[in-house]
Amino acid sequence: MKISNKIKSKSGLAIVLSRLKGFEKPDARLEQYPTDSEIAAEILWFGLQNKDMEKVIVDLGCGTGILGIGALILGAKKVVFVDIDPKAIGIARENIEFVKSELKINFSGKTEFIVGDVNELQGIAADVVIENPPFGVKKRHADREFLERAFGIADIVYSFHKAESTDFIDDISRKKGFKATHFWRFDFPLKQTMDFHRKRIERIKAGCWRLERVQ
Ligand code: SAH
């Protein structure tokens, strides 16, 4: 399984990911904000170079699928897309079709789709979890729930959170036998998709952690 021959660079990947469809009517309670395509490409391209992509991957809280689809393009063996919102999963499926049939980017990785609450997931194992979950703004501890689930699924976890969550991430990782190997800081653009947003693009300080089980 090799990276699609049409994608030769991180910026090439970002361009493809920028063409994917986002949420139609984002649900604020579920904190439905898609990952920015440049940021997604940055992390996934690192994952490729770090040999974390040619694996079985779970995209937890996949939304419209940008992270998992990027992983498929970079040669993932299989991606399991999980989200509580069936409409988001529907768009993720459409996006995969779009990449294959319109952009003519082929990939041979398998796909699986699960509509369900991360807290009720059972019997899932993978090599890597990639997640940009709710940041726990609307539902307290939603970020913690995702992280705990991720630790139960794989030995390697890429997880996005608010930058100010650093202490909590360190703490919970240590308790669960994980350590942070890499950290990226981003100004996360939250595009104005929800009624209560005033500025057109709000930016929040966020980060992505690569966490690995301590052997
Ligand atoms: N990972 C996507 C979406 C980020 S938005 C991306 O990077 O673009 C967060 C996603 O988590 C939304 O799609 C939302 O529907 C999903 N979500 C929120 N709570 C959930 C839960 N309890 N179980 C599963 N998915 C959940």
Side-chain angles (χ1 to χ4, degrees):
M1 225 94 52
K2 281 282 161 288
I3 166 170
S4 167
N5 58 4
K6 294 215 167 158
I7 305 295
K8 298 196 164 51
S9 66
K10 182 166 73 181
S11 54
L13 177 64
I15 290 168
V16 169
L17 297 179
S18 74
R19 308 263 328 257
L20 301 181
K21 216 168 128 182
F23 295 102
E24 267 159 16
K25 284 179 84 189
D27 183 334
R29 281 167 311 147
L30 295 173
E31 296 189 48
Q32 292 187 324
Y33 298 101
T35 307
D36 173 73
S37 48
E38 301 275 340
I39 292 175
E42 181 80 33
I43 295 303
L44 294 167
W45 201 261
F46 169 87
L48 174 71
Q49 291 170 329
N50 208 48
K51 308 215 182 316
D52 290 334
M53 285 297 116
E54 246 183 82
K55 300 271 168 94
V56 176
I57 294 177
V58 174
D59 182 351
L60 266 194
C62 63
T64 53
I66 186 165
L67 297 173
I69 293 171
L72 284 167
I73 292 172
L74 296 185
K77 254 189 228 160
K78 177 179 177 181
V79 174
V80 182
F81 293 87
V82 181
D83 204 285
I84 199 167
D85 178 5
K87 290 199 289 303
I89 294 274
I91 297 173
R93 283 176 178 274
E94 274 179 45
N95 277 333
I96 291 173
E97 254 329 287
F98 170 76
V99 168
K100 287 189 159 173
S101 54
E102 301 283 322
L103 303 183
K104 310 263 185 264
I105 294 172
N106 289 315
F107 44 79
S108 45
K110 297 194 180 109
T111 54
E112 187 182 337
F113 302 89
I114 299 177
V115 176
D117 190 324
V118 279
N119 295 301
E120 284 156 25
L121 274 185
Q122 274 175 358
I124 294 195
D127 302 307
V128 180
V129 168
I130 308 181
E131 56 176 16
N132 177 8
F135 287 173
V137 176
K138 291 285 160 188
K139 183 182 172 215
R140 257 176 78 96
H141 303 312
D143 45 352
R144 172 187 298 265
E145 290 167 2
F146 268 75
L147 207 45
E148 285 184 343
R149 278 290 151 173
F151 289 156
I153 293 173
D155 289 347
I156 296 167
V157 175
Y158 286 84
S159 196
F160 288 85
H161 300 276
K162 279 193 291 189
E164 69 199 48
S165 305
T166 307
D167 289 347
F168 135 73
I169 308 278
D170 282 351
D171 195 45
I172 181 176
S173 302
R174 203 173 328 105
K175 282 192 187 132
K176 300 282 173 185
F178 278 74
K179 66 165 196 288
T181 60
H182 300 79
F183 173 64
W184 297 259
R185 205 175 263 285
F186 296 113
D187 276 336
F188 238 62
L190 299 182
K191 300 207 173 86
Q192 188 189 37
T193 44
M194 316 246 177
D195 296 342
F196 56 83
H197 289 164
R198 298 221 192 90
K199 277 190 263 169
R200 204 173 67 78
I201 293 189
E202 181 119 22
R203 289 186 182 270
I204 61 161
K205 304 267 177 229
C208 179
W209 281 253
R210 181 186 181 279
L211 304 155
E212 192 177 286
R213 196 184 302 279
V214 180
Q215 297 303 333

